[in-house]
Amino acid sequence: MKTALITILLLVISNVFMTFAWYGHLKLQSSGISKNWPLIAVILLSWGLAFLEYCVMVPANRMGFRENGGPFNLFQLKIIQEVISLTVFTVIAVLMFQGEKLHWNHIVAFICLMAAVGFTFLPTSN
């Protein structure tokens, strides 16, 4: 249980870095901070953040993977990561991008994703 929680915590941290790497530059641009930056500078900033993401994501996957003594199979790791990714993205988007609103269809989509996580943990006949 401890390894599962640490894996999930590391996945959350890595997805915070990922979300800022992918979308943070848009907030910097809209706030005027990076409005006049050349594209290469924005790319290098995003790469730096993505590097930090990988520094946390790779250990999370290695630790959480069943063949390394972790509690999750490969499909479970990926589905969990996707749900965490969208959850982190939603929180950051709603907090940082005030014009972005969470609508009913987004909530239904999240419910479907949570069902996907549940399905990955059902026993198989293998």
Side-chain angles (χ1 to χ4, degrees), residues 15-63:
N15 277 281
V16 169
F17 284 119
M18 179 190 74
T19 301
F20 281 113
W22 287 12
Y23 304 103
H25 63 89
L26 299 174
K27 183 62 176 177
L28 290 177
Q29 182 181 19
S30 68
S31 66
I33 295 172
S34 66
K35 186 175 182 177
N36 297 319
W37 288 16
L39 183 57
I40 189 67
V42 176
I43 290 169
L44 290 174
L45 172 67
S46 292
W47 276 357
L49 290 169
F51 172 75
L52 295 173
E53 177 217 345
Y54 275 76
C55 286
V56 182
M57 177 67 77
V58 171
N61 284 322
R62 289 180 69 94
M63 178 185 301

Side-chain angles (χ1 to χ4, degrees), residues 3-126:
T3 303
L5 292 175
I6 292 171
T7 298
I8 290 169
L9 177 63
L10 291 173
L11 290 173
V12 169
I13 293 167
S14 74
N15 277 281
V16 169
F17 284 119
M18 179 190 74
T19 301
F20 281 113
W22 287 12
Y23 304 103
H25 63 89
L26 299 174
K27 183 62 176 177
L28 290 177
Q29 182 181 19
S30 68
S31 66
I33 295 172
S34 66
K35 186 175 182 177
N36 297 319
W37 288 16
L39 183 57
I40 189 67
V42 176
I43 290 169
L44 290 174
L45 172 67
S46 292
W47 276 357
L49 290 169
F51 172 75
L52 295 173
E53 177 217 345
Y54 275 76
C55 286
V56 182
M57 177 67 77
V58 171
N61 284 322
R62 289 180 69 94
M63 178 185 301
F65 187 43
R66 185 169 289 155
E67 290 185 21
N68 291 334
F72 306 117
N73 68 39
L74 193 59
F75 290 100
Q76 291 168 337
L77 271 172
K78 182 60 181 171
I79 298 282
I80 291 168
Q81 188 278 328
E82 291 300 332
V83 170
I84 290 170
S85 176
L86 287 171
T87 303
V88 167
F89 169 80
T90 300
V91 170
I92 290 173
V94 169
L95 292 176
M96 286 183 56
F97 294 88
Q98 298 300 316
E100 298 295 324
K101 304 288 185 218
L102 191 61
H103 297 285
W104 71 268
N105 56 324
H106 303 135
I107 294 167
V108 171
F110 281 124
I111 291 169
C112 291
L113 287 168
M114 293 307 292
V117 171
F119 282 119
T120 64
F121 285 93
L122 290 177
T124 58
S125 61
N126 307 26

